[in-house]
Amino acid sequence: MPTLDRVGKVKHRRLDQLADLCRQVGDAMQRASVALLDADRAMAEKVISGDAALARARAACEEQLLVTTDLRVVLTAVHAVDTLERMGELALHIARAARRRHPAHVLPDELRAPFADMGQLAITLANTAEQVIRTGDPQLLDFLDDSDDIMDDLHRAVFTAVTRENWPHGVATAVDATVLSQNYERFADHAVSLARRTSAIARGELAA
């Protein structure tokens, strides 16, 4: 029978795998945001081609998590992997939008600032979620909640801009901007959910 010390070391290795996967997803969102803001097809292609590697990393992480003996920990960790998969898909959607419109920019100039803020905030949220997975620091959860509120405000600002009567950029651009803004908003929601579900495990507690 494994000792408690050995079980603890195994658990932390599993958490490190989750944290590494979170970092990779954050990197994908960073590249996708650059592709979107700069109409950078090469960067978009990196995200798109890298999705297969992310899928392999997710599968390997999930397989390793299944050897953990506590069923509640397993279920929480598997949910975390699923959440990270969704975050990766959102970054992929943004990269594909940038590639589809290349060499044109997807966004008009007036929306560059809020989307730049959303991109930076998404990266910060992913990085902070990674730290929560590694440390379980409950104080970071409050920061994540506050950051998520800011993301919601940015999303609302974009929606207000594209639905005003004198919006000059057409319906297709308005739809693109709305969907992309939703991608960032959902990415933020997933980052907060991920951190909350894994923080208890990282602190040595069972997740609710």
Side-chain angles (χ1 to χ4, degrees):
M1 182 176 180
T3 65
L4 288 176
D5 183 60
R6 183 182 175 188
V7 169
K9 289 180 180 178
V10 170
K11 183 190 74 173
H12 283 294
R13 283 200 298 273
R14 303 296 179 261
L15 288 173
D16 283 343
Q17 286 180 302
L18 273 178
D20 289 343
L21 186 55
C22 187
R23 176 180 49 77
Q24 292 176 59
V25 168
D27 289 345
M29 177 55 84
Q30 190 272 334
R31 295 189 184 101
S33 295
V34 170
L36 177 67
L37 291 169
D38 297 344
D40 188 331
R41 178 162 185 165
M43 195 64 76
E45 293 291 357
K46 285 184 179 181
V47 178
I48 295 164
S49 63
D51 187 61
L54 260 180
R56 290 192 295 270
R58 289 192 298 265
C61 185
E62 192 168 49
E63 182 178 348
Q64 290 297 317
L65 287 166
L66 290 176
V67 305
T68 306
T69 55
D70 191 299
L71 179 59
R72 285 168 291 184
V73 173
V74 170
L75 291 176
T76 298
V78 169
H79 186 278
V81 174
D82 181 65
T83 299
L84 285 163
E85 181 177 7
R86 293 174 185 274
M87 292 169 70
E89 288 172 350
L90 291 166
L92 182 63
H93 291 164
I94 293 169
R96 283 176 172 163
R99 184 178 69 173
R100 184 173 64 251
R101 288 297 185 90
H102 186 270
H105 285 264
V106 180
L107 303 170
D109 287 343
E110 70 176 277
L111 293 183
R112 284 183 58 81
F115 271 92
D117 289 342
M118 283 192 284
Q120 186 56 57
L121 193 56
I123 297 162
T124 298
L125 282 157
N127 291 341
T128 305
E130 176 192 350
Q131 291 306 309
V132 172
I133 296 169
R134 294 189 191 279
T135 68
D137 187 347
Q139 294 184 355
L140 293 177
L141 297 177
D142 291 336
F143 173 78
L144 283 166
D145 284 336
D146 291 342
S147 298
D148 189 34
D149 289 342
I150 295 171
M151 185 71 85
D152 290 341
D153 290 341
L154 289 166
H155 174 55
R156 283 191 289 269
V158 169
F159 185 76
T160 298
V162 302
T163 55
R164 71 178 191 266
E165 288 187 8
N166 62 341
W167 169 255
H169 305 291
V171 174
T173 299
V175 170
D176 280 343
T178 301
V179 171
L180 288 165
S181 181
Q182 287 174 340
N183 289 164
Y184 282 108
E185 190 266 339
R186 289 171 183 167
F187 187 95
D189 287 344
H190 287 317
V192 174
S193 173
L194 171 69
R196 289 204 168 278
R197 283 182 172 271
T198 56
S199 62
I201 300 176
R203 294 195 304 271
E205 304 168 3
L206 292 176

